[in-house]
Amino acid sequence: MAKNLCNSPTPLFALILPMLLLNYPLSSNAFSIGVNYGALADNLPPPAQVAAFLKDRTFIDRVKLFDSNPDMIRAFAGTGIALIITAANSDIPSLSRLPGATSWVANNISPFYPATNISLIAVGNEILATADRNLIAHLVPALRSLSAALSAAGFHQIRVSTPHSLGILSASEPPSSGRFRRGYDRVIFAPMLDFHRKSKTPFVVNPYPYFGYSSRTLNYALFKPNPGFFDPVTRINYTNMFDAQMDAVFSAMSRLGYGDVQIAVGESGWPSAGDPGQVGINVEDAASYNGQLIQHVTSGKGTPLMPNRTFETYVFSLFNEDLKPGPTAERNFGLFRPDFSPVYDVGVLRGGSQFWSLYAALKNGNVNGMTNDKRCQGGGPTPAPTAASKWCVAAGGATEAALQANIDYACSTAGVDCRPIQAGGPCFDPNTAQAHANYAMNAYYQFAGRHVFNCDFGRTGVIVTKNPSEYFRAF
Ligand SMILES: *[C@@H]1O[C@H](CO)[C@@H](O)[C@H](O)[C@H]1NC(C)=O
Ligand SMILES: *[C@@H]1O[C@H](CO)[C@@H](O)[C@H](O)[C@H]1NC(C)=O
Ligand SMILES: *[C@@H]1O[C@H](CO)[C@@H](O)[C@H](O)[C@H]1NC(C)=O
């Protein structure tokens, strides 16, 4: 990971001083985590920016698309990011015959592969839940013929599957009772699981404790401490709902004799905002669920019935999507806002959260350097024009009281000139504690000799190596 950091082509990231990295070491395990890149929004950045952002500034190395939009597929070329693309539900009948599958591959895969690392084709989305008999009847044949068409084209690495909601189960509590809906079990799921076993591809499910919790089971759904749920058949005490849902799927598969088939998590997530009065919908709970989910599925711990398994997992979702219909929560599943600022940090950010709070502070214009007055640029006095110019600025997230204490400390030091941030001074606006602290802390740092400890300020200072006003031009 350190290697990736140093090789990062983005000037933005290269600006951050080693100090920041030393204080906030990156996690050492090489985990693999995916996100769903939904685009029901009118304010999202262009796909090429999204792909560059994911590659350069996050550890996210897998992306799932809900369609086969060529602009999006092309945007991920050369990134190495593994892509799931989705064939439209309406394409399933034609995909169930080889000529249709062959031409779908020629149109949707051949132009982009292998430049774009397409790793799996999802055939439709939650087809059993549509209750459309025509689509359901053609689903397994479509998996088979698409797989054959990919092989014929020489694309042996590309897997084929189809994501399911947990509505495919007629029983799921306790987990040992898990079974597929009668009528679909032998006719649809047995041949489908046989396809997955033979092709070594995952059975993809979308477990959402969010859609299953009550006020009584909120902590159980959120991976927080709770009394647990006891399964009397297996004598297993379940401590989180995600494990229970996964094991219910496993039980259903085992009942048909396919417990060995891999399972992947196509979607799971938790919204960070909802309608007034909704319990358990806030930033802390979303961060808790998604953070623990990522840790859990990548830990190698598995579930009680599937010990030691890891699950290829795609968090729902990358962005808050403003055009999604339904309750407020539907538009707030994103890890990021459309301007790339994180809604919360679940450990997928390169550089740690301090970088991102600094980013937020600067992006919000809370630095004097955002004004055009040269005297204010960089949040105050300019360092000597040496090769190693450094500025000291206030980290985002510092309390107003801490910032005011920093201002008072810096400005009471003989030799530090704080007149520019006083009323009438050129750097008075914006008149915020953050902006004034940026000025005063940097003025002190430059005056005191630019040692690392001159910018400590009780760990509310951050040294940057480029004029902060130039930081976020790229955005
Ligand atoms: C494609 O993605 C897979 C899964 O993350 C990864 O193992 C592989 O190295 C990637 N391929 C390329 C060419 O980057
Ligand atoms: C299940 O586990 C929880 C949490 O560890 C514990 O508090 C509870 O007593 C356990 N219940 C049973 C029936 O073992
Ligand atoms: C899981 O891993 C642990 C620790 O490595 C090992 O003791 C255990 O036998 C494994 N269980 C299975 C079912 O592979």
Side-chain angles (χ1 to χ4, degrees):
M1 281 174 189
K3 177 167 153 286
N4 284 342
L5 282 179
C6 296
N7 292 344
S8 169
T10 62
L12 174 63
F13 194 72
L15 301 176
I16 303 303
L17 261 196
M19 182 190 117
L20 193 54
L21 302 178
L22 286 175
N23 286 343
Y24 296 88
L26 305 171
S27 65
S28 56
N29 62 320
F31 71 63
S32 173
I33 193 69
V35 289
N36 283 273
Y37 176 8
L40 281 177
D42 58 10
N43 55 0
L44 295 186
Q49 269 187 35
V50 175
F53 169 80
L54 290 174
K55 175 172 186 284
D56 297 334
R57 291 164 207 166
T58 76
F59 296 117
I60 291 163
D61 62 353
R62 297 177 177 275
V63 167
K64 177 164 162 280
L65 304 180
F66 286 100
D67 56 24
S68 57
N69 179 331
D71 293 336
M72 288 198 182
I73 300 174
R74 205 176 287 117
F76 287 90
T79 62
I81 290 174
L83 209 61
I84 292 186
I85 67 178
T86 299
N89 292 1
S90 56
D91 286 343
I92 290 173
S94 82
L95 286 173
S96 70
R97 290 178 300 271
L98 196 52
T102 302
S103 67
W104 194 92
V105 169
N107 292 331
N108 295 280
I109 304 295
S110 303
F112 311 109
Y113 184 84
T116 296
N117 189 5
I118 298 169
S119 77
L120 188 144
I121 299 168
V123 177
N125 192 35
E126 301 188 348
I127 292 303
L128 279 301
T130 66
D132 182 322
R133 289 184 171 280
N134 186 40
L135 295 184
I136 292 168
H138 287 97
L139 187 54
V140 175
L143 296 176
R144 289 200 190 108
S145 58
L146 201 47
S147 189
L150 288 166
S151 290
F155 303 151
H156 301 286
Q157 311 291 328
I158 304 179
R159 303 164 297 165
V160 178
S161 190
T162 181
H164 304 284
S165 76
L166 289 208
I168 55 175
L169 302 180
S170 62
S172 59
E173 279 175 42
S176 60
S177 71
R179 62 174 66 237
F180 293 115
R181 285 167 60 172
R182 197 180 298 273
Y184 292 150
D185 48 1
R186 303 258 158 221
V187 179
I188 304 288
F189 288 109
M192 185 182 289
L193 289 163
D194 191 59
F195 165 82
H196 288 309
R197 173 185 281 160
K198 286 186 175 135
S199 60
K200 297 188 167 55
T201 53
F203 186 67
V204 179
V205 294
N206 299 339
Y208 272 103
Y210 170 69
F211 290 116
Y213 79 93
S214 64
S215 56
R216 197 175 57 89
T217 58
L218 180 59
N219 286 344
Y220 177 63
L222 285 171
F223 295 97
K224 288 182 177 176
N226 67 87
F229 274 81
F230 187 69
D231 185 328
V233 176
T234 54
R235 306 200 61 75
I236 290 166
N237 185 11
Y238 281 86
T239 57
N240 69 78
M241 194 185 286
F242 176 82
D243 276 353
Q245 293 187 342
M246 293 293 279
D247 278 358
V249 173
F250 173 80
S251 297
M253 293 164 68
S254 299
R255 206 174 290 281
L256 296 179
Y258 292 94
D260 58 309
V261 170
Q262 319 160 36
I263 305 180
V265 175
E267 293 179 31
S268 192
W270 199 280
S272 62
D275 292 305
Q278 280 190 283
V279 180
I281 305 186
N282 52 62
V283 169
E284 289 70 33
D285 285 340
S288 169
Y289 180 80
N290 283 325
Q292 301 254 13
L293 172 73
I294 291 170
Q295 252 231 308
H296 193 64
V297 294
T298 58
S299 67
K301 192 163 164 260
T303 68
L305 294 184
M306 295 180 278
N308 302 357
R309 283 208 208 178
T310 55
F311 304 102
E312 180 179 328
T313 295
Y314 298 80
V315 174
F316 188 89
S317 183
L318 176 54
F319 290 117
N320 283 338
E321 296 170 66
D322 66 342
L323 297 183
K324 286 199 77 178
T328 303
E330 284 293 321
R331 292 176 288 286
N332 288 283
F333 271 88
L335 300 178
F336 295 94
R337 302 183 190 90
D339 69 355
F340 293 116
S341 60
V343 181
Y344 48 85
D345 179 15
V346 285
V348 297
L349 302 171
R350 291 183 189 273
S353 54
Q354 187 171 352
F355 167 78
W356 290 92
S357 45
L358 172 63
Y359 163 84
L362 294 168
K363 188 132 195 315
N364 291 337
N366 289 332
V367 283
N368 286 333
M370 291 294 180
T371 72
N372 287 326
D373 192 310
K374 277 237 171 337
R375 286 164 296 183
C376 312
Q377 281 184 4
T382 306
T386 62
S389 298
K390 293 175 188 173
W391 281 257
C392 174
V393 298
T399 65
E400 191 128 330
L403 295 176
Q404 190 57 52
N406 294 348
I407 295 168
D408 294 345
Y409 177 80
C411 295
S412 63
T413 304
V416 174
D417 180 8
C418 284
R419 281 171 299 176
I421 53 171
Q422 283 157 12
C427 310
F428 178 70
D429 286 320
N431 180 16
T432 64
Q434 177 95 31
H436 287 184
N438 282 329
Y439 181 95
M441 291 164 71
N442 184 50
Y444 176 84
Y445 172 72
Q446 303 300 335
F447 169 80
R450 296 197 291 274
H451 305 108
V452 168
F453 53 83
N454 297 140
C455 185
D456 186 60
F457 292 100
R459 306 194 78 179
T460 59
V462 181
I463 297 172
V464 295
T465 53
K466 192 162 171 127
N467 185 326
S469 65
E470 292 174 23
Y471 252 74
F472 295 109
R473 294 243 161 98
F475 291 83

